[in-house]
Amino acid sequence: IIPVDKHHYILCESNNLSIFPIEPKDNWLKWKNNQRKIYGDRLTLFEGNRRFLNAVFFKNQILAQASDGLWMVTQKRAKKLSVGNNADVIHLSLSTKGILITTGDQGVYIYSNGKITRLETLSKTLKNERLYKTKFINNQFYALTFNGIIIANQDGSLSQQIMRSDGYPNVDAIDFEVINNNIYASSTNGFQIIPIPPKNAHKWRPIILLDEYLINGEKSTFTQGMKLSPDENSVRFNLSIINYRALGDHDVFYSINGKKWIPVEDNKLQLNELAPGNYRIQLYAITDRKENKSDVVSLEFELLAPFYKRLWFVSLIALSIAMLAFVLFKFRLNQVQQKNQILQEKLNLEKQLHESSLAAIKSQMNPHFLFNALNTIQSFIYTNEKEAASIYLVDFSELTRKILEMSNQPFVAFSEEIEALRLYLKLEKMRFEDDFEFEINTAALAHDAFKIPSMLIQPYVENAIKHGLLHKKGKKKITLTFSSENTILHASIIDNGIGLSASKKINKTRNSNHQSFATVANHKRFELLNQLSSGQIGVEIKELKDEKGNVKGTAVFLTIPMYQ
């Protein structure tokens, strides 16, 4: 996909070269003719039994690289172009002078003013190199080759080479960009950031890396300041030295706690039978160019003494004696305070009873939602919508996991509650398809680092969909808005459904004794939660009408205490 401007892209794919997105009154509609069709919002510019790989838009023309050669596509026609002696085109890129054409074996060409010209000096500079891509950046040519990146001046003469001996990764690069004197390259091994070295790069210093850390012969992970047990007194450090320019030998030295420097053999530092204490191991590397000396690397750790020699053990003995005396004193004091403790325990039991009742009601609410979701998955399967069923099932499993986690907690982070609501509404949108929209607004909140009672909002969202939107024809929308005032969260759930009156008539027609399970359960939850939060939780439900008195939806307003 190649950007053309802020609104259009060239799409290169098998059998098609197209521009998208196309909108009414779009200038690109001038390119349409009997052979060029519009599919959706995409205008097909060129079709054929070929694979398009790359394209560049330049001066109202498109130069496209395809599996069968180079094509020029204009407003009226498509024409195949010849490059050099039937050269194999492998990449196109835009420069200030025209379009750069990189070939596999005949160097670099430029397309400008309807002509293709070989850049002789640049091609000679890149001779005998296996080319991948050529780009013109910051008034210089950058050529990606098998061995690295070659930088050439505007006249094509060599400016600098960044090869493997300069620290260029020993991998095949796929693409690159140059930003702030750094090369950002994608490769077969991932993403690389390669500083462009100065021309006096021979002064670059080597770098020491810790490859492996072993304790008593077993591999482990080293962290600065780590504490080792008394029997972990044999450690080994396996090192690697990154030596950018000096391709010869190097030496590594170490020092323990500021004492004399000792050579490290074969980049392996072995320390055996260490005594308890704090250790600071310092290392540096030096190359065959003596001016190339690395920074000093410090590795710090502590080997603990046996427990019976530690201060904490002696202190523990003294503390135990003091604790025994304190326990005897506390026993007498507890006898005096027994009545108050019994009363306090009774209050705590009552509070725990409320909380356990709340948890039981929440555990009933969760299956109510799960049954509705399973019915939706079943409907997708019956209608043979396998892909929709698969996507729905993945999101449903994620939401189920969240619900199970949240059901075990009386309070959850507000961000977790919002994520669960977003997943639930996403599932409902799949069920209603394009007729359903939702919006969650949290911009009025200063922050979301607080907790609320779990799964308190979802039943009202579910009711809005089930009783307000399910029976509405046309576009359905539900909006959730959150704001805060001191330690109170204000939540509004507004839908453009059929309204309270019409919903009650439908429910009465279907079942005169029907009463929403979620509404009853939430009513009980509000009663219990209000006992625990001094009446700070409330709910208000209103039917919304326009100026003419026509019903335009339902609004639910919740006030919920926020907890740290």
Side-chain angles (χ1 to χ4, degrees):
I1 299 177
I2 298 95
V4 176
D5 53 35
K6 293 182 179 179
H7 305 289
H8 299 89
Y9 302 83
I10 298 175
L11 176 63
C12 299
E13 56 185 340
S14 295
N15 302 323
N16 281 310
L17 179 71
S18 54
I19 189 80
F20 74 103
I22 298 296
E23 301 180 18
K25 299 181 180 180
D26 197 312
N27 290 332
W28 278 96
L29 292 176
K30 297 177 182 178
W31 289 56
K32 180 182 176 184
N33 57 35
N34 293 333
Q35 287 76 35
R36 295 171 178 171
K37 308 294 184 181
I38 292 182
Y39 301 97
D41 62 343
R42 185 174 76 177
L43 172 62
T44 299
L45 300 173
F46 188 24
E47 296 179 327
N49 188 19
R50 59 183 59 83
R51 183 163 58 96
F52 291 95
L53 306 171
N54 190 16
V56 177
F57 181 76
F58 180 70
K59 293 184 178 180
N60 211 35
Q61 295 175 326
I62 296 175
L63 199 62
Q65 173 197 357
S67 56
D68 63 342
L70 189 66
W71 290 84
M72 171 58 68
V73 182
T74 65
Q75 184 173 334
K76 295 182 178 180
R77 61 174 182 156
K79 175 184 177 182
K80 189 173 183 180
L81 303 180
S82 177
V83 180
N85 187 18
N86 293 322
D88 181 21
V89 178
I90 59 176
H91 184 252
L92 303 173
S93 65
L94 190 63
S95 73
T96 56
K97 299 179 180 180
I99 299 175
L100 292 178
I101 305 172
T102 304
T103 69
D105 55 359
Q106 297 184 32
V108 181
Y109 292 74
I110 189 166
Y111 176 85
S112 180
N113 298 323
K115 296 181 179 181
I116 297 178
T117 307
R118 188 171 187 263
L119 297 177
E120 296 294 342
T121 304
L122 179 60
S123 297
K124 290 180 180 179
T125 300
L126 302 176
K127 187 178 181 181
N128 300 325
E129 289 288 343
R130 180 180 171 187
L131 299 179
Y132 291 139
K133 293 186 178 181
T134 306
K135 297 185 178 182
F136 189 78
I137 305 172
N138 299 329
N139 296 320
Q140 287 184 306
F141 293 99
Y142 289 77
L144 176 62
T145 74
F146 174 78
N147 294 314
I149 291 181
I150 296 177
I151 305 175
N153 300 313
Q154 289 195 57
D155 61 358
S157 62
L158 179 65
S159 173
Q160 192 175 356
Q161 291 178 298
I162 307 174
M163 315 306 281
R164 303 194 192 282
S165 61
D166 301 301
Y168 188 86
N170 191 24
V171 296
D172 289 334
I174 299 170
D175 202 358
F176 73 99
E177 288 293 340
V178 180
I179 304 172
N180 296 331
N181 212 39
N182 286 312
I183 297 173
Y184 293 78
S186 59
S187 72
T188 54
N189 282 14
F191 187 72
Q192 307 282 344
I193 302 177
I194 309 162
I196 298 178
K199 294 184 178 180
N200 60 346
H202 65 277
K203 294 183 179 179
W204 279 22
R205 296 186 292 178
I207 296 175
I208 299 177
L209 298 178
L210 177 60
D211 278 348
E212 262 186 344
Y213 171 65
L214 296 91
I215 301 177
N216 294 342
E218 298 291 330
K219 290 183 181 180
S220 183
T221 302
F222 180 83
T223 56
Q224 292 287 1
M226 67 186 303
K227 298 181 184 297
L228 304 180
S229 61
D231 60 340
E232 295 176 328
N233 60 351
S234 177
V235 299
R236 176 173 165 177
F237 302 92
N238 292 340
L239 310 172
S240 287
I241 310 302
I242 298 180
N243 189 358
Y244 290 103
R245 277 292 192 179
L247 302 180
D249 295 333
H250 60 266
D251 295 311
V252 182
F253 295 83
Y254 78 97
S255 171
I256 300 178
N257 293 338
K259 297 181 180 179
K260 69 176 183 177
W261 292 93
I262 304 171
V264 175
E265 296 183 3
D266 298 326
N267 293 343
K268 297 177 176 63
L269 176 57
Q270 180 74 48
L271 302 174
N272 297 321
E273 297 181 0
L274 295 173
N278 292 301
Y279 288 87
R280 184 186 183 203
I281 310 298
Q282 293 179 293
L283 300 148
Y284 76 85
I286 189 168
T287 71
D288 53 349
R289 292 191 180 106
K290 298 304 179 182
E291 70 273 16
N292 286 359
K293 181 178 178 182
S294 74
D295 292 331
V296 175
V297 175
S298 293
L299 305 171
E300 299 181 9
F301 62 92
E302 180 183 2
L303 182 60
L304 299 175
F307 74 93
Y308 51 85
K309 291 184 178 180
R310 299 181 204 173
L311 178 62
W312 68 264
F313 182 79
V314 177
S315 301
L316 182 61
I317 297 299
L319 182 62
S320 298
I321 297 173
M323 285 293 295
L324 180 60
F326 177 78
V327 168
L328 294 174
F329 169 76
K330 192 68 176 178
F331 177 75
R332 296 296 300 168
L333 183 62
N334 286 343
Q335 287 181 329
V336 176
Q337 296 177 337
Q338 188 173 11
K339 288 186 178 181
N340 290 335
Q341 288 179 348
I342 293 174
L343 178 61
Q344 184 63 41
E345 288 174 359
K346 182 178 178 181
L347 294 175
N348 289 338
L349 286 174
E350 291 177 353
K351 183 177 180 180
Q352 291 173 8
L353 176 62
H354 287 312
E355 292 176 343
S356 63
S357 299
L358 176 61
I361 293 172
K362 286 164 57 182
S363 67
Q364 291 177 333
M365 293 175 63
N366 292 330
H368 181 63
F369 162 71
L370 296 178
F371 294 151
N372 288 340
L374 290 173
N375 286 335
T376 302
I377 296 174
Q378 186 182 44
S379 68
F380 279 130
I381 296 173
Y382 282 161
T383 56
N384 202 28
E385 297 179 68
K386 297 179 181 179
E387 184 177 357
S390 176
I391 296 172
Y392 194 99
L393 189 58
V394 170
D395 290 337
F396 170 68
S397 64
E398 176 65 15
L399 180 58
T400 303
R401 182 184 65 80
K402 284 187 174 294
I403 290 176
L404 291 175
E405 291 175 353
M406 295 166 65
S407 295
N408 293 326
Q409 306 174 50
F411 302 94
V412 296
F414 175 73
S415 58
E416 288 292 320
E417 184 81 8
I418 290 297
E419 181 59 23
L421 287 171
R422 196 182 305 279
L423 275 172
Y424 170 74
L425 288 170
K426 181 181 177 182
L427 294 175
E428 292 290 11
K429 180 174 177 60
M430 288 187 64
R431 186 158 68 98
F432 286 100
E433 299 180 347
D434 294 335
D435 287 337
F436 180 79
E437 294 180 0
F438 69 90
E439 184 178 358
I440 301 177
N441 299 318
T442 59
L445 293 175
H447 63 87
D448 62 354
F450 57 87
K451 294 184 177 182
I452 63 172
S454 65
M455 294 296 292
L456 191 63
I457 303 171
Q458 187 273 340
Y460 290 99
V461 177
E462 182 180 352
N463 276 347
I465 296 173
K466 181 178 179 181
H467 300 294
L469 298 177
L470 182 63
H471 305 291
K472 175 182 172 60
K473 295 182 180 179
K475 292 292 184 179
K476 307 170 180 63
K477 183 174 182 180
I478 185 168
T479 302
L480 280 64
T481 305
F482 299 90
S483 61
S484 61
E485 180 181 2
N486 297 326
T487 59
I488 299 298
L489 174 70
H490 296 281
S492 67
I493 305 165
I494 299 175
D495 65 74
N496 66 341
I498 60 175
L500 289 173
S501 301
S503 176
K504 289 179 180 179
K505 290 180 180 179
I506 293 174
N507 289 333
K508 186 176 181 181
T509 302
R510 291 184 174 180
N511 186 355
S512 59
N513 296 320
H514 173 77
Q515 188 173 15
S516 170
F517 174 82
T519 303
V520 175
N522 250 27
H523 181 71
K524 292 180 180 179
R525 288 191 70 193
F526 271 66
E527 290 180 354
L528 292 173
L529 286 168
N530 270 325
Q531 295 181 36
L532 299 175
S533 60
S534 303
Q536 292 181 308
I537 294 180
V539 60
E540 182 182 3
I541 303 175
K542 292 182 178 180
E543 188 174 68
L544 303 177
K545 297 182 179 181
D546 57 20
E547 297 177 354
K548 297 180 179 180
N550 298 318
V551 174
K552 64 176 184 178
T554 305
V556 179
F557 302 97
L558 302 173
T559 55
I560 305 170
M562 302 187 302
Y563 303 89
Q564 296 298 322

